[in-house]
Amino acid sequence: MRAKIIAVFTVVVLVVGVLAFALTRASLNPGSPRADAARALVAAEAVLRVQAGEVERWLEAQAADPKVREPFSAGTGQARSDGATSVANGIKSATSKTPAIAGLGPSLVAIVDAKGTALGRDGSPFLRGDDLGGIYPALRAGLTEGRAGSDVWVTPARNEQLLVSWAPIRGENGQVLGGLLLGTALGDGRLTDVANQTSGATLWFEVKDKDGYRIVAQSKGGAPDLASAIDPKQLEAGAASALSTGQAVDVAALPPDFGVKVGPLGGYGDGKRALLVAVARANAPAATTLLFPFLGAIALGIVLVAIAGHILGQSIMRPVEEIEEGLLAIMNGRTDLRFQIEHPELGGLVSRLNSLLSQLLGVSEDETGAPPPAMAIRGKDAEDALAVDESLAKDQAPGGEAAALGAEDEAAYHARIFDDYIRAKKSVGDPVDHITRDAFIARIVASEKQMAQKHGKPVRYKVEVRGKEVVLLAVPLG
C-alpha cells in the first residue's frame, strides 16, 4: 500500500514538474531581437538629443554674460584672440560647477566670429584663425541664422572627434557677433554611459566621410562576436538607406538571434552624416539554466512524497494489520475477542465487523452497543481470553463464600480480583505485561452481567489456579 501511494504521487510530482518547466520555458520567450534593437536605438538617440539640448541652453546662458562680448571690442587681432582665450578658460572652469555638463567630458571651449573663424580656445593658442565655419557648415549656418545648435565633428586629419554645441554671442543691439562653442567627448566611454542609461544594448557610432562609412565609437560590454555576426556590406547598405530616407532601418545579421537597427542621429547638424547603430541579442536563459532548479524542486517533491506516503500508509496499514491478526486469533479459537480500534476512516468498519462476529458466533451485544464480554485486543499485545468456570452458578446455592464476596465493596472487589489474577498468571509463568487494569475490570463487569442474565442471579468471580491454567470461578450471590 505504501509503495503504491508513493509511486502514484511520484508520477504526479514528475508530471507537474515537467509541465511547470515547459510552461516557464515558454513564458521566457526571448522576444524579438529586432524590436529590442529598435527600442535601444530610439532610447539612445533620445538621450543624446537631450544632452545636446542641455548644453545648448547652458551655452546660451553663458553667452548672455557681457564679459563674453568683450573680446570682440578689442582693438587688435592679437588682443581679440587673447581675450577669447581668457573667456574660454573661464567658461571651461564653469563647466566643472555644472554636473550635467561636467559629466559629458568637456574637452573644448572656443569663441568664433560671426563667420565661424576661431578667435581662441581654452588652454591653448592653437585653433586661432581656423575657418571652423567652412569645415563644419552647420556651425556657419547656425550663426548666420542666430540660433544655437549642435553638430558632430569627426575629422581625423584635425584629430577631432567631438559632439559640439554652440550658442550665438550677440551685441548690445542684438546683432550676432560670433559664437560660444563647447565640445564634449565622443568615444567608447560616452556610448557606454548612454547604453547603461537606456537599454544596455550594444551601441555603435558611425559617420560618413570620403572613404565611406566608419565606426568611430562603440559601447563596451557587448558580445565579442558581434563584429563577425554582422555583414559589413549589409551594415553599409543599411546606413546609406537610413541617411537617404531619414528613417531607421533593419540590418541583416547572422546568426538570426541578433537584431541590428541603424538610424540617423537627429539633433546634430543636418542629420545626414552621423548614425547610431543598436545591436540586440536574444537573451533568454538556456534550458539547462532553468533545468537544474526544476530538477532540484522535483527531487525535493519526491522525497516529501515518500515521507508523506510512508506516514499515510502507516496510518492505514496499522489498523488493517491489527484486524488481520485479530481475525486469525478468532479463527484459532479465541471467539471472545473483539476489536477496539479508534480510526477516523476505519472506525465504522471495525464496529460493523464486531457486530458481524457477534451474530456469527451467537453472542448478543448489550444495549449500549458495546462489544460482548471479551477482552479487547490490540495487535500482538492482545489479552488472553478469560477462562470462566460457571459450574457453581449452575449447581450450588450461595454459601458463606458468596456472602463474603457480596459484602465486599465493588471497587475493592475489582482491585483485589485484578491483583489476584495477575499473581495467578505470574505463578504459572504466563506473561501479564499486556493486561491492563481498566480493560480487565471492564471485561469482568461485562462477563458478570452476561452470567447474571444467563443464570438469573448475580455472580462474582474468584481466581483459582488449576495446574497451568488460571480460571475465574463464578460464584452466585443469591
Side-chain angles (χ1 to χ4, degrees), residues 179-220:
L180 176 62
L181 279 64
L182 176 65
T184 57
L186 173 58
D188 296 349
R190 179 75 172 270
L191 278 190
T192 300
D193 290 341
V194 173
N196 292 338
Q197 293 177 41
T198 55
S199 63
T202 300
L203 299 176
W204 293 344
F205 200 99
E206 191 174 19
V207 295
K208 180 184 179 181
D209 56 22
K210 61 181 181 178
D211 297 324
Y213 295 89
R214 182 164 53 91
I215 295 175
V216 297
Q218 58 184 357
S219 63
K220 298 179 181 179

